[in-house]
Amino acid sequence: MCQSIRTLPKSWSSTLSLPKSTFPPRAITADRPQYLKRCSDDLYNWQKHQRKNAESFILQDGPPYANGGLHVGHALNKILKDITCRFHLSQGKNVTWIPGWDCHGLPIELKALQNSRDLEILGIDERPGPDFVRKAARQLATKAVNEQKMSFREWAIMADWDNAWKTMDDQFESKQLKVFVELLKKGLIYRRFKPVYWSPSSRTALAEAELEYNEEHTSIAAFVKYPLNHTSQELQKIAKARGFGSRTINAVIWTTTPWTLPANKAIGMHSDIEYAVVDSTKHGILLLAKSQVAKVQVASEDTFQNLISVFGSELLGETYQDCGFRSASTSRRLLHADFVSADTGTGFVHLAPGHGADDYELCRKHDIPAFAPIDDEGRFTRLASPDQPEMLSGKDVLTVGNQTIIDFLRKRRSLLGCHVYRHSYPYDWRSKCPIIVRATEQWFADVGGIRKGAMHSLNSARFIPTSAKGRLEKFIENRSEWCISRQRAWGLPIPALYNIKTGEAILTEASVSHIISVIQERGIDSWWTDHEQEPSWVPDWLRDDAGPLLYRRGKDTLDVWFDSGTSWTQTTRYGNAAEKHVADVYLEGTDQHRGWFQSSLLTYIAQGDVNNVPPMAPFRALVTHGFVLDQKGHKMSKSLGNVISPDEIMQGTLLPPLTKKHKLQGPVNTNMDGKVFDSLGPDALRLWVASCDYTKDVAVSQTVLKSVNACLSKYRVTFKLLLGILEDFLPSTTIPFMELDANHQIALLQLQDVESNVHNHYENFDFYKAISEINNYISNDFSALYMETIKDVVYAGCRKSSNVSGREMAQYTLLQIFSSLQQMLAPVTPLLIEEAWAYTPSQIREWHKYPFHRIWKAGDKWRNDQLRKDLPYLLKANSAVKRAQEKARCAKKMGSSLQSFVVLRFKKKSEDVEDIGFELFKRYKGYLDTLFVVSRVEICMGNLPSSAATAEWSYEDEFDIGGSNVSIHVYPPQEAKCVRCWKYTASPEPFDQILLCDRCEEVVGELRTKRPEIFEHRTV
């Protein structure tokens, strides 16, 4: 065989334009701080200076509590807010997000008191005063704020951290007191002795928002009888006629709170209920709802004989006697009560106006005062049983005291029976202990007076999800007043003065204005530290020059929900006086419908002028997210040991450790056991948040985090590939859309569609849908379709020519994809975008704007109506080709898709009938081999070409177009494999030569001149 010497490349790969980029496979930890600063703090400051006159977007921060470390619930909340702000920044807006912290309240005060217990260990026995508690609480809150702020910033939260507010700041408290004065001027603040939620464990009144309900709480429920006085003439007449007129009739009540019986003031009944008078074996003659006779008989283990029936209306005017707690008590009345039902209990309800809201309102109408013989610690006072004070005094009402009452009633034969009753019961959400309802002197805000305006204001707001509106409306509808006073030292004092002799409270616009001026001069802590007789706090018109001061300062503080509820004062919208304090978005957890959402709305509506201006909520949109659960769907708690730290997600320690097969480049995290974890940083945490359907409760599990990390890694690989291919591209190259080959046009049309969808999802707060759309695009349209179609022209095509080359078309298209991916991912993975920009070729950086400074407007940038119409059929054909190829692979007939030729066979029709499908594919015949990633494509009508008909093997599939089936035939190539591009397009003759296709022969020829160093002389 004849041999010849040829000049050939040292390696064929050296003749290819393979992607080259220094973009690392994993982020470099040492570089993270600079990226973090650029895409967060620097970016926020830039837009504040450069977009002063742009349309504003304001997010009002629902303040986290300044107590302890952060958990994944904080991450969910703050990152959702950040994604929202970053999207609106991309829309060219001037974003305002000033973070805040809720710093007052019980948990911080309890920690301060814990510090005082530490002092006791050192021999300091004095109970700390308010000044000590406040100083310690302020230090604790300040420390927590600083630590939380540091963590938030590590999550790439873009906000005005330098101007963050705290509810304990002088400026915040000053604005809060001004809101308080506005409510006072309108008569919405008042003081009353009435029942409130009281926490014995915390020794303070609570609002509804500070409760959580224990569905498994158990109480001792009791059936108790009260002897009637027979003052009802109708009842006397009936008793005499039936022969038991001389015997006492006893009204039977059922209660789940026997501890409230010493405070009984009346019995509620309903005029329309039919009551039965029964003769019992053990307990005498009883009166109870006829519908409940059988149940009470079983519960009392007694036998009843029905005597007569009467309606409640016949019992009006009847009175009864106390069941033994005070012998000198006067007769009490049976009162009609709308809330009494015959469906449960006995049809009679014992009324203790000092221990129940319904009881209080009913008794108030009948001039019956509230009475609650219980102290701050939830123990009975001597007034509970004045005849035998030692029986109950000092006993805890929910435990020992309750049992003592049961024993006392049993001994007096007033108890028919008792049983354990499991039911929902309110608990203090901080101490996790049961609360009681107890009448005390408290300050209230009138919600009933502003409820209509508050409800009306919600109609102009947007709610995500839409069900959030109904939930908030429900909480407002069911609320008539708001107990705003708390018996704590760590908080903003209610600026009330009290007459030392009479206890009368002074709280007027004039008195409060004077006190505010003193606070501004002396500081808020002076309210607690000044001598009780300090005269400067008392206005001149209340002072008695002839003697000592008659007024003292109050010790109650404002509810922390009033604190955070007035945080709208920190929002300033310029240019619109009516919306000066209105934010674009409030975004918090679903529990805030009864908390911050509600308190913000109520305080804002209350201080506004509802007569002259239509009521407006302090938010244009209200977004609600769920709670974070563990992988089993359980709520996270320290007691269950299932609390997850955001750091664990960022450091990758919740995932299996990396093994030796992993290339340990980039940031890894090594624990004490020497195990190595993939540390993907803040973007991993952020991507988890963005991937969640936050309108429901969301779970954190290893499966979910694996998926998140895989997606983030896919993003990195995609950017590395794009940067490598674009390394030598001049961005000044412009190619009209219609001059691009079909596969590039398809890629841009698909990109345009996904970009539009993602933009809409961000706009509608559907972040998880945006991420799903992006992931689907990268995996399918980009990676599986477009990149497959351009690998040949990008890697093996020529770099330059007098005309625009196929490689330049691909690079031009990839630059559009690169830019769009930056915009779509910027709100979620800002560090990745910042890092990718740092590795972007300099010529592109000089030509294109910094990604975060661009204005992202999705729209119809590219248009080809015919291609858009044809595209579904082209994709159908591609899928059919892939199915036929897979059949061949299963039979081990082929490997690479290039190792096949394809025929599209259309059924022959009559000559006068146009085959739409045939004409469609003829339009794209020159691009079909590129689209299908095969070596050759033919189109035929009727019979197969001889090459396909006589092929060694052939596999078929089909697809539908316009109601007609088109068959796809895949068969072995009839030409030789090109050693450079691997397409089967080389001439098979002569066999003793290096086989190159015509295109590769031309490219290699050019390279011999331009890059001789990669060639050598070889004998072939």
Side-chain angles (χ1 to χ4, degrees), residues 23 31-40 42-43 86 683 716 719 723 818 822 825-826 829-840 845 850-853:
F23 187 69
D31 293 339
R32 188 175 293 164
Q34 61 173 316
Y35 297 147
L36 200 59
K37 182 175 181 296
R38 285 182 206 160
C39 70
S40 297
D42 292 353
L43 179 59
R86 286 180 181 274
D683 280 346
R716 293 193 68 86
F719 279 126
L723 291 170
F818 177 60
Q822 287 177 318
L825 286 171
T829 59
L831 272 82
L832 174 62
I833 301 305
E834 185 68 50
E835 183 185 5
W837 182 249
Y839 285 87
T840 299
R845 287 168 58 90
Y850 176 53
F852 296 107
H853 291 178

Side-chain angles (χ1 to χ4, degrees), residues 752-970:
Q752 183 168 271
D753 290 345
V754 73
E755 191 173 5
S756 177
N757 291 340
V758 169
H759 190 280
N760 288 338
H761 291 323
Y762 277 128
E763 206 162 36
N764 293 318
F765 299 92
D766 290 327
F767 306 142
Y768 77 100
K769 291 182 180 179
I771 294 302
S772 177
E773 194 96 30
I774 294 169
N775 291 342
N776 183 64
Y777 168 76
I778 291 176
S779 297
N780 298 311
D781 294 347
F782 176 72
S783 297
L785 182 62
Y786 183 60
M787 278 307 302
E788 289 298 312
T789 70
I790 65 169
K791 280 182 180 177
D792 175 70
V793 71
V794 167
Y795 300 163
C798 60
R799 284 178 176 261
K800 292 290 178 187
S801 67
S802 56
N803 299 317
V804 175
S805 68
R807 188 170 189 275
E808 286 175 310
M809 287 187 185
Q811 287 179 309
Y812 172 81
T813 303
L814 290 174
L815 182 59
Q816 313 310 312
I817 293 172
F818 177 60
S819 178
S820 292
L821 283 176
Q822 287 177 318
Q823 299 303 117
M824 291 189 285
L825 286 171
V828 177
T829 59
L831 272 82
L832 174 62
I833 301 305
E834 185 68 50
E835 183 185 5
W837 182 249
Y839 285 87
T840 299
S842 59
Q843 73 275 14
I844 295 178
R845 287 168 58 90
E846 291 168 5
W847 186 264
H848 277 262
K849 269 189 177 181
Y850 176 53
F852 296 107
H853 291 178
R854 299 175 200 159
I855 296 178
W856 178 27
K857 300 295 182 185
D860 290 339
K861 291 178 279 189
W862 305 293
R863 185 169 181 174
N864 184 335
D865 294 339
Q866 184 65 59
L867 179 57
R868 187 171 285 282
K869 180 181 176 182
D870 297 342
L871 183 55
Y873 300 111
L874 294 172
L875 296 179
K876 268 189 176 184
N878 186 50
S879 297
V881 169
K882 297 296 183 282
R883 290 194 298 269
Q885 288 176 331
E886 196 55 35
K887 294 174 185 177
R889 286 193 187 95
C890 290
K892 298 184 178 179
K893 298 295 185 183
M894 63 171 284
S896 164
S897 63
L898 292 173
Q899 198 176 345
S900 63
F901 280 9
V902 171
V903 173
L904 275 67
R905 181 187 182 191
F906 293 81
K907 293 181 180 178
K908 192 168 186 178
K909 298 185 178 181
S910 58
E911 293 182 3
D912 59 340
V913 177
E914 181 182 5
D915 192 308
I916 299 174
F918 185 74
E919 295 301 321
L920 185 157
F921 281 92
K922 274 179 64 178
R923 280 195 293 273
Y924 303 100
K925 187 177 187 307
Y927 307 112
L928 293 179
D929 58 340
T930 299
L931 179 64
F932 300 158
V933 196
V934 296
S935 291
R936 177 174 294 176
V937 176
E938 292 185 70
I939 304 173
C940 71
M941 180 77 74
N943 296 329
L944 286 172
S946 59
S947 59
T950 60
E952 179 184 350
W953 53 263
S954 177
Y955 291 89
E956 298 179 26
D957 206 284
E958 61 181 27
F959 67 97
D960 176 80
I961 179 170
S964 300
N965 285 339
V966 180
S967 60
I968 295 287
H969 298 261
V970 172

Side-chain angles (χ1 to χ4, degrees), residues 322-337:
D322 179 70
C323 58
F325 293 104
R326 47 184 55 75
S327 58
S329 64
T330 58
S331 295
R332 300 166 189 172
R333 288 179 285 169
L334 268 62
L335 306 175
H336 168 79

Side-chain angles (χ1 to χ4, degrees), residues 422-436:
R422 190 181 303 276
H423 61 126
S424 177
Y425 192 86
Y427 276 54
D428 182 333
W429 74 336
R430 294 188 178 96
S431 67
K432 308 300 179 185
C433 295
I435 60 100
I436 61 176

Side-chain angles (χ1 to χ4, degrees), residues 220-228 250-262 264-269 275 285-289 292 296 299-300 320-323 325 333-335 340-341 344-352 359 405-406 409 414-419:
I220 298 178
F223 292 96
V224 180
K225 65 179 184 180
Y226 283 89
L228 300 181
N250 299 275
V252 180
I253 64 98
W254 177 74
T255 179
T256 61
T257 54
W259 56 269
T260 63
L261 292 175
N264 174 268
K265 288 291 185 179
I267 289 179
M269 41 77 71
Y275 292 89
I285 297 180
L286 306 175
L287 178 65
L288 66 161
Q292 297 297 318
V296 177
S300 62
Y320 68 96
Q321 293 296 321
D322 179 70
C323 58
F325 293 104
R333 288 179 285 169
L334 268 62
L335 306 175
V340 174
S341 167
T344 57
T346 65
F348 289 110
V349 174
H350 118 79
L351 302 177
D359 302 17
I405 288 174
I406 294 290
L409 294 172
S414 294
L415 183 72
L416 274 67
C418 59
H419 60 279

Side-chain angles (χ1 to χ4, degrees), residues 401-659:
N402 199 57
Q403 186 59 51
T404 301
I405 288 174
I406 294 290
D407 296 341
F408 173 74
L409 294 172
R410 183 180 287 113
K411 185 177 180 180
R412 282 184 52 86
R413 302 181 63 82
S414 294
L415 183 72
L416 274 67
C418 59
H419 60 279
V420 174
Y421 181 65
R422 190 181 303 276
H423 61 126
S424 177
Y425 192 86
Y427 276 54
D428 182 333
W429 74 336
R430 294 188 178 96
S431 67
K432 308 300 179 185
C433 295
I435 60 100
I436 61 176
V437 176
R438 171 197 178 211
T440 60
E441 287 278 2
Q442 298 291 342
W443 290 100
F444 295 88
D446 179 14
V447 175
I450 60 173
R451 185 166 49 204
K452 184 177 179 181
M455 295 285 285
H456 181 74
S457 73
L458 299 181
N459 294 329
S460 59
R462 180 184 179 190
F463 289 85
I464 295 97
T466 54
S467 59
K469 181 183 180 184
R471 183 172 170 82
L472 184 55
E473 285 177 331
K474 183 180 177 182
F475 280 111
I476 296 170
E477 281 176 343
N478 296 331
R479 194 171 191 180
S480 60
E481 60 187 5
W482 174 7
C483 179
I484 60 172
S485 51
R486 295 293 180 270
Q487 289 63 55
R488 310 307 307 179
W490 179 229
L492 181 63
I494 294 178
L497 300 172
Y498 296 86
N499 189 296
I500 293 174
K501 294 181 179 179
T502 66
E504 176 192 6
I506 300 295
L507 189 71
T508 65
E509 181 184 353
S511 69
V512 174
S513 296
H514 172 79
I515 290 171
I516 290 175
S517 67
V518 178
I519 289 174
Q520 291 173 341
E521 179 184 340
R522 303 171 68 88
I524 194 70
D525 287 333
S526 300
W527 180 268
W528 304 96
T529 58
D530 280 356
H531 190 276
E532 189 173 358
Q533 296 293 310
E534 171 58 48
S536 60
W537 294 99
V538 182
D540 293 340
W541 49 276
L542 284 178
R543 296 182 191 176
D544 185 352
D545 295 334
L549 283 176
L550 297 177
Y551 291 89
R552 63 172 178 83
R553 302 184 299 281
K555 297 181 180 180
D556 290 343
T557 55
L558 277 166
D559 176 17
V560 292
W561 290 114
F562 198 96
D563 287 4
S564 59
T566 56
S567 61
W568 49 260
T569 59
Q570 306 303 301
T571 297
T572 303
R573 184 184 296 278
Y574 298 100
N576 188 341
E579 292 186 292
K580 180 180 178 181
H581 297 300
V582 176
D584 289 281
V585 170
Y586 274 36
L587 192 158
E588 294 300 328
T590 186
D591 56 330
Q592 296 308 316
H593 289 100
R594 66 173 187 170
W596 184 65
F597 289 153
Q598 187 181 168
S599 64
S600 297
L601 177 66
L602 294 177
T603 56
Y604 184 78
I605 295 296
Q607 61 81 43
D609 190 346
V610 295
N611 295 318
N612 298 328
V613 181
M616 180 181 294
F619 45 80
R620 292 176 175 174
L622 186 145
V623 184
T624 306
H625 64 75
F627 295 108
V628 182
L629 309 176
D630 67 12
Q631 59 186 354
K632 296 180 180 178
H634 296 152
K635 191 175 179 180
M636 292 188 182
S637 70
K638 291 181 180 178
S639 60
L640 293 176
N642 62 349
V643 175
I644 292 175
S645 162
D647 287 345
E648 293 178 278
I649 297 176
M650 293 195 294
Q651 294 169 4
T653 55
L654 296 176
L655 297 176
L658 297 175
T659 59

